Amino acid sequence: MHINGRRVRYAVSAVAVAGVAALALSACTTSGSTSTSSAAKGGTVTVAVVNDFTSFNSQTPQGNLDTNGQVGYLNGSYGTGFQYIDNNYKIVHDDKFGTFEKTSDDPLTVKYTLNKDDKWSDGEPVTADDMVLAWAIASGHYDSAKFDDSGNVTSGTQYFQIAGSTAGIDSTDFPEVSNDNRTITLKYATPYVDWELVNPIAQPAHIVAKKAGLSSAADLTKLLKGLPKGDPANPAPADPTLKKAADFVNTGYDVTAFPTDKDLLVSSGPFVVSSWTPGQSLTMTPNKYYAGGLKPNVDKIVFRIIPDANAQVTALQNGEVDIINPQASADTITALKQTSAKILTGAQASYDHLDLNFKSPVFADAKVREAFLKTIPRQQILDSIVTPVDSKAKVLNSQIFLPNQEEYAGSVKQNGSDKYDKVDIDGAKALLAGATPSIRILYNTNNPNRVDEFQSIQASAAKAGIKVVDAGSPDWSKLLPGGDYDASLFGWISPGAGTSQLPQVFSSQGGGNYNGYTGTNDLALKSQTTLDKDELTKIEYQIDKQAFSDGYGLPLFQLPGVFAATNRVDGVKYNGGQSGPFWNFWEWSVKSSTSSK
């Protein structure tokens, strides 16, 4: 089960760790040729992506990467199923895959019914057993774990580890299952603000059951139904079969090469991964059993891994790729304008930020946190990276909202971000009182923007006697959950709907709470059961203010976005959310004159 949310996944990306704190909708502009000549069924579309693939499960902390999520969007494990988010950040139901409806407000009750023709790519039917497993993963229903301040389990058991948060879903009891095994009904003990974003499809239950030593998906459901709800105050011994199932879901989908175990490839969505050469390309072909409404026109989608923006533009010019989504820069835009490609630009539901690791001894002292943040040259970073692309861009001053949200200005007025409007080296020195802390920053060394950010911070902090140590790595996303650093530079990107990013990032057990911050835990959880918009905004304002007061870190800027597509492919439209150019893959078509590649 996933929640398309502002973020559930803030998913990690080279340009951004996905999830976003805010809705960011901007009108697109286009240039270049926009031929509307006829298109044939079939053909191959090749898309350049920044990050390599690492996991068939993008919903774990270590698998929460943009490329993994985009593959998941195509194979049904993330972002498609009962609904998807369009380029206007609206929730669109796919009634051909299945229907869902709210049947009661008090208690909140939601019914999900699968299409009778839904099948996994191995020919097995998609059933209520699959939805029950998805619910078990997302709800944390069986967990009995207690955690210390660093997020380590001190007693009991945590079964499934998710990139998001269980908040909201955790109030549901075991689903009611229909006699025909195609429907589940979820009943919430407390209202859940994002109920319409819950999509109860994740990993195939028959595969997970097999890996746990069970004979069928029905046996897995029987096991789940027979187990009690987890009780941290009185934890029962871990159930060995459920533990095997959870361990497989948590880490069994992580890969470093194309799997020999074909069970990992089983898909409920329109596409299936058919090949992958690490560091080079990944290929997806249609799932012949797919019965949903997002059926593709093309025969093949190829992901080409090209981290460098200039190399993406060159590949587009040379006809090696059909679509690119490079990191936007003045040079990139200028180079694209020299081509015949269609250019689509807009704001991304994404922002770069610096987070301090609250599990790091160096930041145990609030004065050191504040001193370091006073040295961050945010305006310089903006002018170097974003202003050449968007001359009207401003430094981002909220941890919750983006500038084109109506709540942004009100939050900035009260959140205390003005303390960091300008670099204050003297103020930092006064707070440090002669101390010269050393701070290790994790970031993506393959991302030019992050390299620039790191170097700017390193030079500025040195003026206050702070030694900033390079802990950057091309494997930064794998290292992020481990916490072996003092601060991190990355980004969040979201589909642009919902509020699930709040507990994901700002609650103590949120799957995106990589820096161990607990100061807003109760507020983040409360946000998921607050249906009144004004009350929810007050909670968001409180979280924003508390994060700045505690020295959580600093937001840097909202990312501008750009897609470019050759005239060979029709149907590409801009979307600033997590799925990038893939968001409407079913509308893509290849020109009839060049229907194969």
Side-chain angles (χ1 to χ4, degrees):
M1 178 182 291
H2 62 263
I3 303 166
N4 289 313
R6 196 169 58 168
R7 163 87 190 174
V8 105
R9 255 178 72 217
Y10 276 106
V12 180
S13 90
V15 198
V17 175
V20 109
L23 172 68
L25 176 62
S26 175
C28 300
T29 59
T30 64
S31 65
S33 173
T34 56
S35 170
T36 58
S37 63
S38 63
K41 193 86 170 174
T44 297
V45 176
T46 302
V47 186
V49 297
V50 172
N51 285 316
D52 200 357
F53 181 70
T54 66
S55 181
F56 288 91
N57 184 359
S58 67
Q59 296 305 290
T60 63
Q62 77 280 3
N64 191 24
L65 188 72
D66 59 350
T67 301
N68 298 340
Q70 289 164 346
V71 170
Y73 189 74
L74 296 173
N75 74 13
S77 65
Y78 177 77
T80 50
F82 283 88
Q83 77 280 86
Y84 65 91
I85 306 296
D86 71 8
N87 59 338
N88 292 312
Y89 302 104
K90 302 297 183 183
I91 302 167
V92 182
H93 293 211
D94 180 7
D95 291 342
K96 289 187 178 180
F97 183 86
T99 60
F100 67 105
E101 60 177 333
K102 181 171 63 172
T103 59
S104 171
D105 284 313
D106 188 15
L108 173 62
T109 306
V110 186
K111 180 179 178 181
Y112 298 84
T113 301
L114 291 160
N115 180 328
K116 61 181 176 60
D117 297 323
D118 289 331
K119 290 183 180 180
W120 294 95
S121 59
D122 60 0
E124 290 294 315
V126 182
T127 68
D129 296 317
D130 297 299
M131 296 193 285
V132 168
L133 172 61
W135 165 83
I137 294 170
S139 67
H141 183 81
Y142 302 98
D143 290 348
S144 60
K146 286 185 178 180
F147 302 86
D148 61 21
D149 290 340
S150 297
N152 300 310
V153 175
T154 58
S155 64
T157 304
Q158 180 186 26
Y159 288 100
F160 298 100
Q161 297 173 358
I162 59 174
S165 166
T166 62
I169 311 298
D170 60 2
S171 74
T172 53
D173 289 326
F174 192 87
E176 177 185 331
V177 179
S178 65
N179 290 333
D180 65 2
N181 208 30
R182 290 197 298 114
T183 295
I184 67 166
T185 301
L186 294 181
K187 186 178 293 184
Y188 293 80
T190 55
Y192 179 42
V193 65
D194 285 340
W195 68 267
E196 195 178 1
L197 290 166
V198 173
N199 191 351
I201 295 294
Q203 283 68 47
H206 65 288
I207 298 297
V208 175
K210 184 169 92 170
K211 302 302 182 184
L214 297 170
S215 60
S216 69
D219 285 344
L220 180 57
T221 297
K222 183 178 179 180
L223 170 73
L224 294 171
K225 190 172 184 179
L227 292 175
K229 179 178 174 62
D231 181 3
N234 186 28
D239 181 85
T241 305
L242 180 57
K243 190 69 168 62
K244 283 182 69 176
D247 288 348
F248 172 68
V249 171
N250 292 341
T251 62
Y253 284 94
D254 297 345
V255 288
T256 56
F258 188 70
T260 56
D261 182 357
K262 303 308 179 188
D263 287 345
L264 301 187
L265 306 176
V266 176
S267 160
S268 66
F271 281 91
V272 182
V273 175
S274 55
S275 66
W276 173 45
T277 302
Q280 296 183 35
S281 66
L282 178 145
T283 299
M284 303 189 75
T285 51
N287 169 10
K288 66 180 180 179
Y289 292 109
Y290 176 69
L294 309 183
K295 290 187 177 181
N297 293 311
V298 300
D299 293 330
K300 192 181 295 184
I301 292 179
V302 178
F303 290 63
R304 275 284 306 278
I305 295 92
I306 306 178
D308 182 74
N310 292 330
Q312 286 197 16
V313 175
T314 300
L316 189 77
Q317 282 181 306
N318 294 341
E320 299 169 33
V321 300
D322 302 298
I323 302 170
I324 64 173
N325 177 200
Q327 191 160 267
S329 70
D331 289 344
T332 301
I333 300 296
T334 298
L336 284 173
K337 287 181 178 178
Q338 306 307 310
T339 73
S340 60
K342 179 168 59 177
I343 304 169
L344 308 173
T345 61
Q348 289 193 60
S350 174
Y351 67 98
D352 272 25
H353 53 101
L354 170 75
D355 291 355
L356 307 190
N357 187 352
F358 279 66
K359 296 175 282 189
S360 167
V362 74
F363 286 132
D365 186 341
K367 288 184 178 180
V368 176
R369 296 198 298 270
E370 183 178 349
F372 179 52
L373 295 181
K374 281 181 175 292
T375 71
I376 307 303
R378 295 196 297 158
Q379 186 63 50
Q380 176 189 328
I381 290 170
L382 180 84
D383 290 342
S384 172
I385 296 173
V386 182
T387 303
V389 181
D390 180 2
S391 61
K392 297 180 180 179
K394 295 182 179 179
V395 166
L396 184 63
N397 282 317
S398 173
Q399 302 281 9
I400 302 297
F401 304 106
L402 294 182
N404 45 353
Q405 284 189 280
E406 60 182 348
E407 299 91 347
Y408 178 80
S411 191
V412 171
K413 287 180 181 178
Q414 59 86 49
N415 66 14
S417 60
D418 55 350
K419 182 189 296 187
Y420 305 108
D421 279 348
K422 295 181 180 179
V423 172
D424 182 4
I425 299 299
D426 290 339
K429 287 181 176 178
L431 286 165
L432 291 172
T436 56
S438 179
I439 297 169
R440 299 174 65 248
I441 298 183
L442 174 70
Y443 67 97
N444 182 6
T445 52
N446 282 340
N447 185 321
N449 281 2
R450 302 282 152 68
V451 174
D452 287 350
E453 291 165 11
F454 170 79
Q455 292 175 345
S456 297
I457 291 169
Q458 184 182 51
S460 182
K463 297 175 184 177
I466 299 171
K467 182 181 180 181
V468 172
V469 179
D470 192 335
S473 169
D475 294 322
W476 67 282
S477 65
K478 296 178 182 177
L479 300 172
L480 192 61
D484 186 22
Y485 50 85
D486 302 308
S488 55
L489 281 165
F490 62 100
W492 287 119
I493 184 168
S494 165
T499 63
S500 299
Q501 91 288 349
L502 295 175
Q504 180 192 353
V505 176
F506 293 107
S507 70
S508 58
Q509 298 309 316
N513 185 351
Y514 299 116
N515 65 338
Y517 175 65
T518 61
T520 57
N521 178 73
D522 293 346
L523 288 168
L525 296 177
K526 186 179 179 182
S527 71
Q528 300 305 282
T529 58
T530 302
L531 304 186
D532 182 270
K533 185 177 184 298
D534 291 339
E535 288 300 313
L536 178 59
T537 299
K538 288 179 182 178
I539 291 172
E540 291 176 312
Y541 277 18
Q542 287 177 273
I543 293 173
D544 211 6
K545 184 175 182 178
Q546 191 68 49
F548 277 105
S549 176
D550 292 341
Y552 174 90
L554 288 177
L556 300 176
F557 54 79
Q558 181 180 9
L559 285 156
V562 59
F563 299 171
T566 65
N567 296 320
R568 181 178 171 275
V569 177
D570 279 333
V572 180
K573 299 176 184 176
Y574 186 79
N575 187 330
Q578 291 170 356
S579 50
F582 297 96
W583 80 270
N584 68 333
F585 62 84
W586 59 93
E587 295 182 339
W588 294 354
S589 59
V590 176
K591 297 292 177 61
S592 57
S593 59
T594 52
S595 59
S596 62
K597 220 183 140 181

